[in-house]
mmCIF file of all heavy atoms in Angstrom:
data_model
loop_
_atom_site.group_PDB
_atom_site.id
_atom_site.type_symbol
_atom_site.label_atom_id
_atom_site.label_comp_id
_atom_site.label_asym_id
_atom_site.label_seq_id
_atom_site.Cartn_x
_atom_site.Cartn_y
_atom_site.Cartn_z
ATOM 1 N N MET A 6 0.847 -1.199 -0.002
ATOM 2 C CA MET A 6 -0.047 0.019 -0.005
ATOM 3 C C MET A 6 0.909 1.224 -0.006
ATOM 4 O O MET A 6 1.572 1.467 0.928
ATOM 5 C CB MET A 6 -0.885 0.020 1.265
ATOM 6 C CG MET A 6 -1.786 1.262 1.299
ATOM 7 S SD MET A 6 -2.685 1.387 2.909
ATOM 8 C CE MET A 6 -3.924 0.124 2.653
ATOM 9 N N ILE A 7 0.881 1.957 -1.067
ATOM 10 C CA ILE A 7 1.701 3.159 -1.128
ATOM 11 C C ILE A 7 0.845 4.363 -0.792
ATOM 12 O O ILE A 7 -0.196 4.660 -1.552
ATOM 13 C CB ILE A 7 2.255 3.322 -2.638
ATOM 14 C CG1 ILE A 7 3.232 2.098 -2.909
ATOM 15 C CG2 ILE A 7 2.973 4.644 -2.798
ATOM 16 C CD1 ILE A 7 3.682 2.152 -4.322
ATOM 17 N N ILE A 8 1.247 5.118 0.236
ATOM 18 C CA ILE A 8 0.387 6.178 0.684
ATOM 19 C C ILE A 8 1.200 7.242 1.173
ATOM 20 O O ILE A 8 2.433 7.118 1.488
ATOM 21 C CB ILE A 8 -0.560 5.673 1.851
ATOM 22 C CG1 ILE A 8 0.164 5.023 2.936
ATOM 23 C CG2 ILE A 8 -1.647 4.834 1.274
ATOM 24 C CD1 ILE A 8 -0.675 4.584 4.145
ATOM 25 N N GLU A 9 0.633 8.375 1.510
ATOM 26 C CA GLU A 9 1.431 9.550 2.019
ATOM 27 C C GLU A 9 1.680 9.264 3.488
ATOM 28 O O GLU A 9 0.928 8.582 4.257
ATOM 29 C CB GLU A 9 0.452 10.826 1.983
ATOM 30 C CG GLU A 9 0.414 11.314 0.507
ATOM 31 C CD GLU A 9 -0.416 12.641 0.420
ATOM 32 O OE1 GLU A 9 -0.702 13.214 1.459
ATOM 33 O OE2 GLU A 9 -0.829 12.906 -0.746
ATOM 34 N N GLU A 10 2.772 9.847 3.944
ATOM 35 C CA GLU A 10 3.160 9.655 5.339
ATOM 36 C C GLU A 10 2.028 10.025 6.415
ATOM 37 O O GLU A 10 1.799 9.367 7.377
ATOM 38 C CB GLU A 10 4.539 10.449 5.567
ATOM 39 C CG GLU A 10 5.004 10.230 6.949
ATOM 40 C CD GLU A 10 6.274 11.038 7.260
ATOM 41 O OE1 GLU A 10 6.716 11.855 6.393
ATOM 42 O OE2 GLU A 10 6.847 10.884 8.363
ATOM 43 N N SER A 11 1.433 11.163 5.994
ATOM 44 C CA SER A 11 0.331 11.667 6.942
ATOM 45 C C SER A 11 -0.791 10.637 7.094
ATOM 46 O O SER A 11 -1.456 10.562 8.044
ATOM 47 C CB SER A 11 -0.156 13.040 6.366
ATOM 48 O OG SER A 11 -0.659 12.865 5.130
ATOM 49 N N GLU A 12 -0.954 9.854 5.980
ATOM 50 C CA GLU A 12 -2.090 8.893 6.049
ATOM 51 C C GLU A 12 -1.651 7.615 6.727
ATOM 52 O O GLU A 12 -2.396 7.001 7.449
ATOM 53 C CB GLU A 12 -2.530 8.562 4.554
ATOM 54 C CG GLU A 12 -3.702 7.736 4.468
ATOM 55 C CD GLU A 12 -4.063 7.390 3.043
ATOM 56 O OE1 GLU A 12 -3.531 7.936 2.118
ATOM 57 O OE2 GLU A 12 -5.030 6.588 2.854
ATOM 58 N N ALA A 13 -0.296 7.239 6.546
ATOM 59 C CA ALA A 13 0.190 6.053 7.097
ATOM 60 C C ALA A 13 0.285 6.098 8.609
ATOM 61 O O ALA A 13 0.086 5.091 9.334
ATOM 62 C CB ALA A 13 1.788 5.790 6.618
ATOM 63 N N LYS A 14 0.295 7.360 9.163
ATOM 64 C CA LYS A 14 0.288 7.493 10.705
ATOM 65 C C LYS A 14 -0.966 7.097 11.285
ATOM 66 O O LYS A 14 -1.083 6.950 12.499
ATOM 67 C CB LYS A 14 0.509 8.983 11.064
ATOM 68 C CG LYS A 14 2.007 9.373 10.706
ATOM 69 C CD LYS A 14 2.261 10.829 11.085
ATOM 70 C CE LYS A 14 3.682 11.202 10.797
ATOM 71 N NZ LYS A 14 3.988 12.610 10.988
ATOM 72 N N PHE A 15 -2.025 6.824 10.464
ATOM 73 C CA PHE A 15 -3.325 6.420 10.931
ATOM 74 C C PHE A 15 -3.613 4.935 10.639
ATOM 75 O O PHE A 15 -4.825 4.561 10.719
ATOM 76 C CB PHE A 15 -4.411 7.400 10.536
ATOM 77 C CG PHE A 15 -4.228 8.824 11.115
ATOM 78 C CD1 PHE A 15 -3.629 9.734 10.348
ATOM 79 C CD2 PHE A 15 -4.622 8.932 12.450
ATOM 80 C CE1 PHE A 15 -3.469 11.048 10.931
ATOM 81 C CE2 PHE A 15 -4.448 10.274 12.937
ATOM 82 C CZ PHE A 15 -3.871 11.304 12.278
ATOM 83 N N LYS A 16 -2.571 4.270 10.226
ATOM 84 C CA LYS A 16 -2.851 2.810 9.903
ATOM 85 C C LYS A 16 -2.041 1.998 11.017
ATOM 86 O O LYS A 16 -1.006 2.385 11.552
ATOM 87 C CB LYS A 16 -2.128 2.460 8.524
ATOM 88 C CG LYS A 16 -2.627 3.184 7.408
ATOM 89 C CD LYS A 16 -3.954 2.764 6.992
ATOM 90 C CE LYS A 16 -4.416 3.466 5.693
ATOM 91 N NZ LYS A 16 -5.889 3.369 5.430
ATOM 92 N N PHE A 17 -2.701 0.882 11.353
ATOM 93 C CA PHE A 17 -2.003 0.094 12.442
ATOM 94 C C PHE A 17 -0.849 -0.560 11.974
ATOM 95 O O PHE A 17 -0.780 -1.102 10.818
ATOM 96 C CB PHE A 17 -3.079 -0.990 12.903
ATOM 97 C CG PHE A 17 -4.208 -0.392 13.725
ATOM 98 C CD1 PHE A 17 -5.524 -0.562 13.275
ATOM 99 C CD2 PHE A 17 -3.930 0.272 14.956
ATOM 100 C CE1 PHE A 17 -6.585 -0.105 13.997
ATOM 101 C CE2 PHE A 17 -4.976 0.801 15.615
ATOM 102 C CZ PHE A 17 -6.320 0.574 15.221
ATOM 103 N N CYS A 18 0.157 -0.724 12.859
ATOM 104 C CA CYS A 18 1.448 -1.448 12.606
ATOM 105 C C CYS A 18 1.239 -2.864 13.051
ATOM 106 O O CYS A 18 0.638 -3.134 14.200
ATOM 107 C CB CYS A 18 2.563 -0.829 13.348
ATOM 108 S SG CYS A 18 4.044 -1.851 13.288
ATOM 109 N N PRO A 19 1.548 -3.883 12.322
ATOM 110 C CA PRO A 19 1.363 -5.247 12.653
ATOM 111 C C PRO A 19 2.334 -5.763 13.786
ATOM 112 O O PRO A 19 2.171 -6.750 14.407
ATOM 113 C CB PRO A 19 1.634 -6.094 11.398
ATOM 114 C CG PRO A 19 2.442 -5.251 10.608
ATOM 115 C CD PRO A 19 2.127 -3.732 10.901
ATOM 116 N N LEU A 20 3.310 -4.907 14.034
ATOM 117 C CA LEU A 20 4.367 -5.242 15.072
ATOM 118 C C LEU A 20 4.171 -4.523 16.407
ATOM 119 O O LEU A 20 4.598 -5.131 17.429
ATOM 120 C CB LEU A 20 5.682 -4.979 14.512
ATOM 121 C CG LEU A 20 6.235 -5.757 13.324
ATOM 122 C CD1 LEU A 20 7.641 -5.287 12.963
ATOM 123 C CD2 LEU A 20 6.201 -7.234 13.543
ATOM 124 N N LEU A 21 3.679 -3.372 16.444
ATOM 125 C CA LEU A 21 3.757 -2.541 17.571
ATOM 126 C C LEU A 21 2.444 -2.701 18.442
ATOM 127 O O LEU A 21 1.333 -2.632 17.958
ATOM 128 C CB LEU A 21 3.893 -1.097 17.183
ATOM 129 C CG LEU A 21 5.235 -0.779 16.445
ATOM 130 C CD1 LEU A 21 5.271 0.741 16.052
ATOM 131 C CD2 LEU A 21 6.444 -1.190 17.333
ATOM 132 N N LYS A 22 2.637 -2.857 19.680
ATOM 133 C CA LYS A 22 1.505 -2.884 20.650
ATOM 134 C C LYS A 22 1.942 -2.037 21.886
ATOM 135 O O LYS A 22 3.043 -1.823 22.250
ATOM 136 C CB LYS A 22 1.343 -4.368 21.118
ATOM 137 C CG LYS A 22 0.841 -5.248 19.996
ATOM 138 C CD LYS A 22 -0.535 -5.759 20.225
ATOM 139 C CE LYS A 22 -0.945 -6.660 19.112
ATOM 140 N NZ LYS A 22 -1.337 -7.950 19.469
ATOM 141 N N THR A 23 0.808 -1.596 22.466
ATOM 142 C CA THR A 23 1.005 -0.798 23.771
ATOM 143 C C THR A 23 1.184 -1.798 24.953
ATOM 144 O O THR A 23 1.002 -2.964 24.722
ATOM 145 C CB THR A 23 -0.282 0.123 24.051
ATOM 146 O OG1 THR A 23 -1.348 -0.769 24.274
ATOM 147 C CG2 THR A 23 -0.494 1.071 22.925
ATOM 148 N N ALA A 24 1.468 -1.194 26.109
ATOM 149 C CA ALA A 24 1.707 -2.104 27.279
ATOM 150 C C ALA A 24 0.438 -2.869 27.640
ATOM 151 O O ALA A 24 0.483 -3.950 28.165
ATOM 152 C CB ALA A 24 2.131 -1.218 28.444
ATOM 153 N N ASP A 25 -0.754 -2.273 27.236
ATOM 154 C CA ASP A 25 -1.952 -3.039 27.579
ATOM 155 C C ASP A 25 -2.437 -3.753 26.269
ATOM 156 O O ASP A 25 -3.686 -4.007 26.122
ATOM 157 C CB ASP A 25 -3.050 -2.141 28.057
ATOM 158 C CG ASP A 25 -3.272 -0.925 27.272
ATOM 159 O OD1 ASP A 25 -2.522 -0.698 26.336
ATOM 160 O OD2 ASP A 25 -4.242 -0.284 27.540
ATOM 161 N N ASP A 26 -1.501 -4.107 25.394
ATOM 162 C CA ASP A 26 -1.872 -4.988 24.283
ATOM 163 C C ASP A 26 -2.760 -4.434 23.217
ATOM 164 O O ASP A 26 -3.431 -5.167 22.490
ATOM 165 C CB ASP A 26 -2.391 -6.366 24.746
ATOM 166 C CG ASP A 26 -1.867 -7.542 23.919
ATOM 167 O OD1 ASP A 26 -0.790 -7.359 23.338
ATOM 168 O OD2 ASP A 26 -2.567 -8.521 23.743
ATOM 169 N N LYS A 27 -2.811 -3.105 23.062
ATOM 170 C CA LYS A 27 -3.546 -2.498 22.024
ATOM 171 C C LYS A 27 -2.554 -2.212 20.844
ATOM 172 O O LYS A 27 -1.425 -1.941 21.060
ATOM 173 C CB LYS A 27 -4.228 -1.227 22.466
ATOM 174 C CG LYS A 27 -5.319 -1.543 23.476
ATOM 175 C CD LYS A 27 -6.027 -0.253 23.899
ATOM 176 C CE LYS A 27 -7.167 -0.716 24.827
ATOM 177 N NZ LYS A 27 -7.493 0.370 25.836
ATOM 178 N N MET A 28 -3.149 -2.193 19.600
ATOM 179 C CA MET A 28 -2.309 -1.892 18.426
ATOM 180 C C MET A 28 -1.892 -0.481 18.455
ATOM 181 O O MET A 28 -2.691 0.429 18.817
ATOM 182 C CB MET A 28 -3.046 -2.313 17.211
ATOM 183 C CG MET A 28 -3.269 -3.833 17.028
ATOM 184 S SD MET A 28 -4.041 -4.257 15.523
ATOM 185 C CE MET A 28 -2.534 -4.407 14.559
ATOM 186 N N LYS A 29 -0.708 -0.174 17.879
ATOM 187 C CA LYS A 29 -0.226 1.121 17.721
ATOM 188 C C LYS A 29 -0.082 1.425 16.285
ATOM 189 O O LYS A 29 -0.212 0.617 15.390
ATOM 190 C CB LYS A 29 1.209 1.272 18.356
ATOM 191 C CG LYS A 29 1.209 1.205 19.815
ATOM 192 C CD LYS A 29 2.628 1.359 20.402
ATOM 193 C CE LYS A 29 3.057 2.769 20.325
ATOM 194 N NZ LYS A 29 4.392 2.948 20.965
ATOM 195 N N MET A 30 -0.124 2.785 16.010
ATOM 196 C CA MET A 30 -0.109 3.267 14.701
ATOM 197 C C MET A 30 1.361 3.223 14.045
ATOM 198 O O MET A 30 2.335 3.102 14.789
ATOM 199 C CB MET A 30 -0.578 4.758 14.550
ATOM 200 C CG MET A 30 -1.984 4.909 14.991
ATOM 201 S SD MET A 30 -3.057 4.059 14.028
ATOM 202 C CE MET A 30 -4.694 4.251 14.998
ATOM 203 N N CYS A 31 1.340 3.183 12.750
ATOM 204 C CA CYS A 31 2.667 3.193 12.018
ATOM 205 C C CYS A 31 3.445 4.378 12.436
ATOM 206 O O CYS A 31 2.992 5.523 12.533
ATOM 207 C CB CYS A 31 2.414 3.232 10.582
ATOM 208 S SG CYS A 31 3.940 3.332 9.547
ATOM 209 N N GLN A 32 4.826 4.237 12.534
ATOM 210 C CA GLN A 32 5.701 5.246 13.091
ATOM 211 C C GLN A 32 6.333 5.958 11.839
ATOM 212 O O GLN A 32 7.211 6.821 12.037
ATOM 213 C CB GLN A 32 6.775 4.712 13.896
ATOM 214 C CG GLN A 32 6.204 3.940 15.229
ATOM 215 C CD GLN A 32 5.372 4.907 16.107
ATOM 216 O OE1 GLN A 32 5.961 5.803 16.657
ATOM 217 N NE2 GLN A 32 4.169 4.573 16.212
ATOM 218 N N THR A 33 5.995 5.521 10.669
ATOM 219 C CA THR A 33 6.469 6.082 9.405
ATOM 220 C C THR A 33 8.069 6.307 9.435
ATOM 221 O O THR A 33 8.680 5.395 9.603
ATOM 222 C CB THR A 33 5.724 7.397 8.957
ATOM 223 O OG1 THR A 33 5.990 8.403 9.988
ATOM 224 C CG2 THR A 33 4.189 7.115 8.871
ATOM 225 N N THR A 34 8.467 7.495 9.202
ATOM 226 C CA THR A 34 9.976 7.753 8.999
ATOM 227 C C THR A 34 10.700 7.507 10.329
ATOM 228 O O THR A 34 11.952 7.427 10.235
ATOM 229 C CB THR A 34 10.229 9.145 8.627
ATOM 230 O OG1 THR A 34 9.619 10.063 9.473
ATOM 231 C CG2 THR A 34 9.637 9.430 7.168
ATOM 232 N N MET A 35 10.007 7.270 11.414
ATOM 233 C CA MET A 35 10.718 6.971 12.684
ATOM 234 C C MET A 35 11.163 5.468 12.779
ATOM 235 O O MET A 35 11.780 4.972 13.645
ATOM 236 C CB MET A 35 9.930 7.321 13.859
ATOM 237 C CG MET A 35 9.593 8.829 14.028
ATOM 238 S SD MET A 35 10.974 9.670 14.543
ATOM 239 C CE MET A 35 10.945 9.169 16.324
ATOM 240 N N CYS A 36 10.505 4.711 11.739
ATOM 241 C CA CYS A 36 10.687 3.231 11.780
ATOM 242 C C CYS A 36 11.725 2.850 10.597
ATOM 243 O O CYS A 36 11.673 3.374 9.511
ATOM 244 C CB CYS A 36 9.424 2.512 11.513
ATOM 245 S SG CYS A 36 9.546 0.760 11.376
ATOM 246 N N MET A 37 12.651 1.875 10.936
ATOM 247 C CA MET A 37 13.573 1.459 9.919
ATOM 248 C C MET A 37 12.882 0.737 8.811
ATOM 249 O O MET A 37 13.521 0.515 7.745
ATOM 250 C CB MET A 37 14.640 0.553 10.576
ATOM 251 C CG MET A 37 15.507 1.239 11.550
ATOM 252 S SD MET A 37 16.622 2.409 10.782
ATOM 253 C CE MET A 37 17.816 1.358 10.016
ATOM 254 N N MET A 38 11.675 0.278 8.914
ATOM 255 C CA MET A 38 11.015 -0.388 7.881
ATOM 256 C C MET A 38 10.321 0.517 6.793
ATOM 257 O O MET A 38 9.895 0.039 5.761
ATOM 258 C CB MET A 38 9.966 -1.362 8.461
ATOM 259 C CG MET A 38 10.468 -2.507 9.222
ATOM 260 S SD MET A 38 11.374 -3.669 8.096
ATOM 261 C CE MET A 38 11.739 -4.959 9.275
ATOM 262 N N TRP A 39 10.222 1.739 7.180
ATOM 263 C CA TRP A 39 9.505 2.747 6.168
ATOM 264 C C TRP A 39 10.365 2.841 4.941
ATOM 265 O O TRP A 39 11.582 3.024 5.022
ATOM 266 C CB TRP A 39 9.299 4.047 6.871
ATOM 267 C CG TRP A 39 8.615 5.080 6.000
ATOM 268 C CD1 TRP A 39 9.247 6.092 5.336
ATOM 269 C CD2 TRP A 39 7.324 5.124 5.613
ATOM 270 N NE1 TRP A 39 8.360 6.738 4.655
ATOM 271 C CE2 TRP A 39 7.140 6.243 4.788
ATOM 272 C CE3 TRP A 39 6.132 4.309 6.080
ATOM 273 C CZ2 TRP A 39 5.871 6.547 4.249
ATOM 274 C CZ3 TRP A 39 4.915 4.798 5.348
ATOM 275 C CH2 TRP A 39 4.790 5.778 4.625
ATOM 276 N N ARG A 40 9.721 2.860 3.864
ATOM 277 C CA ARG A 40 10.416 3.008 2.493
ATOM 278 C C ARG A 40 9.700 4.052 1.730
ATOM 279 O O ARG A 40 8.390 4.036 1.715
ATOM 280 C CB ARG A 40 10.301 1.689 1.713
ATOM 281 C CG ARG A 40 10.959 0.499 2.437
ATOM 282 C CD ARG A 40 12.498 0.666 2.449
ATOM 283 N NE ARG A 40 13.228 -0.472 3.084
ATOM 284 C CZ ARG A 40 13.556 -0.629 4.312
ATOM 285 N NH1 ARG A 40 13.231 0.378 5.138
ATOM 286 N NH2 ARG A 40 14.115 -1.695 4.750
ATOM 287 N N TRP A 41 10.474 4.903 1.107
ATOM 288 C CA TRP A 41 9.831 5.923 0.153
ATOM 289 C C TRP A 41 9.616 5.300 -1.156
ATOM 290 O O TRP A 41 10.409 4.428 -1.584
ATOM 291 C CB TRP A 41 10.750 7.186 0.009
ATOM 292 C CG TRP A 41 10.883 7.930 1.285
ATOM 293 C CD1 TRP A 41 11.963 8.097 2.084
ATOM 294 C CD2 TRP A 41 9.834 8.709 1.846
ATOM 295 N NE1 TRP A 41 11.626 8.940 3.094
ATOM 296 C CE2 TRP A 41 10.314 9.346 3.040
ATOM 297 C CE3 TRP A 41 8.410 9.019 1.541
ATOM 298 C CZ2 TRP A 41 9.588 10.076 3.901
ATOM 299 C CZ3 TRP A 41 7.674 9.787 2.380
ATOM 300 C CH2 TRP A 41 8.274 10.354 3.557
ATOM 301 N N ALA A 42 8.484 5.623 -1.785
ATOM 302 C CA ALA A 42 8.119 5.030 -3.055
ATOM 303 C C ALA A 42 8.531 5.981 -4.252
ATOM 304 O O ALA A 42 8.603 5.569 -5.378
ATOM 305 C CB ALA A 42 6.578 4.796 -3.134
ATOM 306 N N ASP A 43 8.870 7.293 -3.874
ATOM 307 C CA ASP A 43 9.341 8.173 -4.965
ATOM 308 C C ASP A 43 10.478 9.015 -4.436
ATOM 309 O O ASP A 43 10.710 9.145 -3.284
ATOM 310 C CB ASP A 43 8.080 9.071 -5.409
ATOM 311 C CG ASP A 43 7.389 9.686 -4.199
ATOM 312 O OD1 ASP A 43 8.096 9.732 -3.131
ATOM 313 O OD2 ASP A 43 6.333 10.197 -4.276
ATOM 314 N N ASP A 44 11.147 9.617 -5.429
ATOM 315 C CA ASP A 44 12.338 10.451 -5.092
ATOM 316 C C ASP A 44 11.927 11.741 -4.347
ATOM 317 O O ASP A 44 12.728 12.319 -3.596
ATOM 318 C CB ASP A 44 13.098 10.864 -6.396
ATOM 319 C CG ASP A 44 13.737 9.675 -7.027
ATOM 320 O OD1 ASP A 44 13.994 8.625 -6.331
ATOM 321 O OD2 ASP A 44 13.988 9.664 -8.251
ATOM 322 N N GLU A 45 10.750 12.172 -4.601
ATOM 323 C CA GLU A 45 10.178 13.393 -3.949
ATOM 324 C C GLU A 45 9.842 13.199 -2.437
ATOM 325 O O GLU A 45 9.534 14.117 -1.771
ATOM 326 C CB GLU A 45 9.053 14.003 -4.670
ATOM 327 C CG GLU A 45 9.314 14.412 -6.070
ATOM 328 C CD GLU A 45 9.514 13.347 -7.086
ATOM 329 O OE1 GLU A 45 8.884 12.235 -6.826
ATOM 330 O OE2 GLU A 45 10.191 13.484 -8.051
ATOM 331 N N LYS A 46 9.858 11.944 -2.060
ATOM 332 C CA LYS A 46 9.478 11.531 -0.660
ATOM 333 C C LYS A 46 8.058 12.067 -0.327
ATOM 334 O O LYS A 46 7.876 12.612 0.703
ATOM 335 C CB LYS A 46 10.476 12.021 0.325
ATOM 336 C CG LYS A 46 11.797 11.332 0.092
ATOM 337 C CD LYS A 46 12.862 11.641 1.197
ATOM 338 C CE LYS A 46 14.079 10.913 1.033
ATOM 339 N NZ LYS A 46 15.148 11.216 1.954
ATOM 340 N N GLU A 47 7.130 11.812 -1.274
ATOM 341 C CA GLU A 47 5.784 12.238 -1.035
ATOM 342 C C GLU A 47 4.938 11.040 -0.554
ATOM 343 O O GLU A 47 4.012 11.165 0.231
ATOM 344 C CB GLU A 47 5.188 12.807 -2.298
ATOM 345 C CG GLU A 47 5.735 14.185 -2.585
ATOM 346 C CD GLU A 47 5.223 14.787 -3.880
ATOM 347 O OE1 GLU A 47 4.462 14.146 -4.509
ATOM 348 O OE2 GLU A 47 5.545 15.973 -4.146
ATOM 349 N N LYS A 48 5.273 9.875 -1.075
ATOM 350 C CA LYS A 48 4.560 8.684 -0.680
ATOM 351 C C LYS A 48 5.551 7.512 -0.385
ATOM 352 O O LYS A 48 6.608 7.398 -0.930
ATOM 353 C CB LYS A 48 3.554 8.246 -1.842
ATOM 354 C CG LYS A 48 2.433 9.199 -2.042
ATOM 355 C CD LYS A 48 1.466 8.668 -3.048
ATOM 356 C CE LYS A 48 0.247 9.604 -3.121
ATOM 357 N NZ LYS A 48 -0.794 9.098 -3.975
ATOM 358 N N GLY A 49 5.040 6.644 0.462
ATOM 359 C CA GLY A 49 5.862 5.558 0.885
ATOM 360 C C GLY A 49 4.989 4.334 1.310
ATOM 361 O O GLY A 49 3.812 4.340 1.143
ATOM 362 N N TYR A 50 5.721 3.355 1.887
ATOM 363 C CA TYR A 50 5.048 2.203 2.395
ATOM 364 C C TYR A 50 5.867 1.448 3.416
ATOM 365 O O TYR A 50 6.942 1.778 3.676
ATOM 366 C CB TYR A 50 4.808 1.239 1.150
ATOM 367 C CG TYR A 50 6.030 0.810 0.501
ATOM 368 C CD1 TYR A 50 6.749 -0.366 0.826
ATOM 369 C CD2 TYR A 50 6.614 1.595 -0.526
ATOM 370 C CE1 TYR A 50 7.897 -0.739 0.154
ATOM 371 C CE2 TYR A 50 7.818 1.248 -1.156
ATOM 372 C CZ TYR A 50 8.447 0.133 -0.797
ATOM 373 O OH TYR A 50 9.606 -0.284 -1.463
ATOM 374 N N CYS A 51 5.238 0.535 4.159
ATOM 375 C CA CYS A 51 5.931 -0.281 5.098
ATOM 376 C C CYS A 51 6.671 -1.353 4.421
ATOM 377 O O CYS A 51 6.113 -2.116 3.600
ATOM 378 C CB CYS A 51 4.893 -0.910 6.014
ATOM 379 S SG CYS A 51 5.742 -2.174 7.162
ATOM 380 N N GLY A 52 8.030 -1.419 4.498
ATOM 381 C CA GLY A 52 8.835 -2.514 3.835
ATOM 382 C C GLY A 52 8.785 -3.810 4.389
ATOM 383 O O GLY A 52 9.369 -4.796 3.918
ATOM 384 N N LEU A 53 7.956 -3.959 5.487
ATOM 385 C CA LEU A 53 7.958 -5.251 6.150
ATOM 386 C C LEU A 53 7.479 -6.471 5.323
ATOM 387 O O LEU A 53 7.957 -7.560 5.441
ATOM 388 C CB LEU A 53 7.011 -5.102 7.366
ATOM 389 C CG LEU A 53 6.990 -6.119 8.442
ATOM 390 C CD1 LEU A 53 8.270 -6.146 9.165
ATOM 391 C CD2 LEU A 53 5.900 -5.920 9.440
ATOM 392 N N ALA A 54 6.530 -6.159 4.382
ATOM 393 C CA ALA A 54 6.023 -7.140 3.576
ATOM 394 C C ALA A 54 6.642 -7.281 2.206
ATOM 395 O O ALA A 54 6.116 -7.840 1.353
ATOM 396 C CB ALA A 54 4.462 -7.033 3.424
ATOM 397 N N GLY A 55 7.740 -6.611 2.135
ATOM 398 C CA GLY A 55 8.449 -6.589 0.792
ATOM 399 C C GLY A 55 8.175 -5.294 -0.066
ATOM 400 O O GLY A 55 7.605 -4.378 0.505
ATOM 401 N N THR A 56 8.609 -5.342 -1.246
ATOM 402 C CA THR A 56 8.367 -4.165 -2.057
ATOM 403 C C THR A 56 6.922 -3.938 -2.487
ATOM 404 O O THR A 56 6.306 -4.861 -2.974
ATOM 405 C CB THR A 56 9.231 -4.227 -3.407
ATOM 406 O OG1 THR A 56 10.545 -4.524 -3.039
ATOM 407 C CG2 THR A 56 9.176 -3.018 -4.222
ATOM 408 N N ALA A 57 6.415 -2.755 -2.327
ATOM 409 C CA ALA A 57 5.085 -2.468 -2.693
ATOM 410 C C ALA A 57 4.931 -2.451 -4.213
ATOM 411 O O ALA A 57 5.880 -2.057 -4.894
ATOM 412 C CB ALA A 57 4.601 -1.135 -2.107
ATOM 413 N N VAL A 58 3.864 -2.926 -4.740
ATOM 414 C CA VAL A 58 3.577 -2.887 -6.193
ATOM 415 C C VAL A 58 3.147 -1.537 -6.638
ATOM 416 O O VAL A 58 2.112 -0.983 -6.091
ATOM 417 C CB VAL A 58 2.506 -3.969 -6.493
ATOM 418 C CG1 VAL A 58 2.238 -3.878 -8.034
ATOM 419 C CG2 VAL A 58 2.937 -5.403 -6.147
ATOM 420 N N GLN A 59 3.821 -0.884 -7.518
ATOM 421 C CA GLN A 59 3.473 0.423 -7.997
ATOM 422 C C GLN A 59 2.103 0.426 -8.618
ATOM 423 O O GLN A 59 1.743 -0.499 -9.318
ATOM 424 C CB GLN A 59 4.505 0.931 -9.070
ATOM 425 C CG GLN A 59 5.815 1.251 -8.513
ATOM 426 C CD GLN A 59 5.893 2.478 -7.611
ATOM 427 O OE1 GLN A 59 4.976 3.363 -7.755
ATOM 428 N NE2 GLN A 59 6.834 2.712 -6.862
ATOM 429 N N GLY A 60 1.278 1.356 -8.232
ATOM 430 C CA GLY A 60 -0.034 1.505 -8.881
ATOM 431 C C GLY A 60 -1.104 0.739 -8.104
ATOM 432 O O GLY A 60 -2.241 0.968 -8.291
ATOM 433 N N ALA A 61 -0.737 -0.017 -7.159
ATOM 434 C CA ALA A 61 -1.612 -0.759 -6.266
ATOM 435 C C ALA A 61 -2.291 0.295 -5.247
ATOM 436 O O ALA A 61 -1.651 1.235 -4.887
ATOM 437 C CB ALA A 61 -0.989 -1.961 -5.553
ATOM 438 N N LYS A 62 -3.566 0.128 -4.966
ATOM 439 C CA LYS A 62 -4.226 1.015 -4.129
ATOM 440 C C LYS A 62 -4.493 0.332 -2.717
ATOM 441 O O LYS A 62 -4.643 -0.818 -2.611
ATOM 442 C CB LYS A 62 -5.564 1.445 -4.633
ATOM 443 C CG LYS A 62 -5.338 2.259 -5.901
ATOM 444 C CD LYS A 62 -5.515 3.679 -5.613
ATOM 445 C CE LYS A 62 -5.256 4.583 -6.784
ATOM 446 N NZ LYS A 62 -5.536 5.940 -6.617
HETATM 447 S S1 SF4 B 1451 6.767 1.093 8.665
HETATM 448 FE FE1 SF4 B 1451 7.363 0.348 10.650
HETATM 449 S S2 SF4 B 1451 5.910 1.291 12.156
HETATM 450 FE FE2 SF4 B 1451 5.028 1.405 10.057
HETATM 451 S S3 SF4 B 1451 3.676 -0.508 9.825
HETATM 452 FE FE3 SF4 B 1451 5.886 -0.902 9.107
HETATM 453 S S4 SF4 B 1451 6.931 -1.806 10.735
HETATM 454 FE FE4 SF4 B 1451 5.187 -0.767 11.574
#
């Protein structure tokens, strides 16, 4: 899923949980798994599941 960083911040991360076991949001550029999809750094994706397919929604 290639999306803007501002949108990714409202998607759940499959790895992160709070102390009371609730899911946490994506940390975007604060996470080593975040990957930019374009040179302008306007859109990116979580690299955890491999390379995102361009054009996929
Ligand atoms: S980029 Fe990092 S914080 Fe965001 S969903 Fe992927 S692993 Fe979680």
